[in-house]
Amino acid sequence: QVQLVESGGGSVQAGGSLRLSCVASGRTSSRDGMGWFRQAPGKEREFVSAINWSGTTFYADSVKGRFTISRDNTKKTVYLQMNSLKPEDTAVYYCVAGEVVFTSNPRMIDYWGQGTQVTVSS
């Protein structure tokens, strides 16, 4: 069992930046990947970004060039630096972890955080 706790969400104006953090605890594996999904009201939960144990990264096309994911394996923490934020980035952002994280299918994800709200105003 793994617990994930997100922080860093909030409200910003379009063009601003936020940095999300997620700390994993419990029965974690050093080989697990970590990443982020998001869900806006009335929309399906969608993949944002992920990073595996060796540092390989992947981004959704909608955030590529604006968001950067990183990981500190010693601290069991994943970060999401979000720059040039747009109103369409408004969503609840969920930290994820597990054996499989390079997937757009939420059903393949093992562990989920409770989510943190990100609101971008125009």
Side-chain angles (χ1 to χ4, degrees), residues 23-59:
V23 180
S25 62
R27 296 175 59 85
T28 59
S29 171
S30 62
R31 304 298 293 268
D32 278 355
M34 299 185 72
W36 300 88
F37 278 67
R38 68 185 182 186
Q39 187 169 26
K43 299 182 66 177
E44 295 182 353
R45 193 166 297 190
E46 66 175 355
F47 172 82
V48 177
S49 184
I51 183 169
N52 72 4
W53 61 271
S54 66
T56 301
T57 61
F58 190 80
Y59 299 91

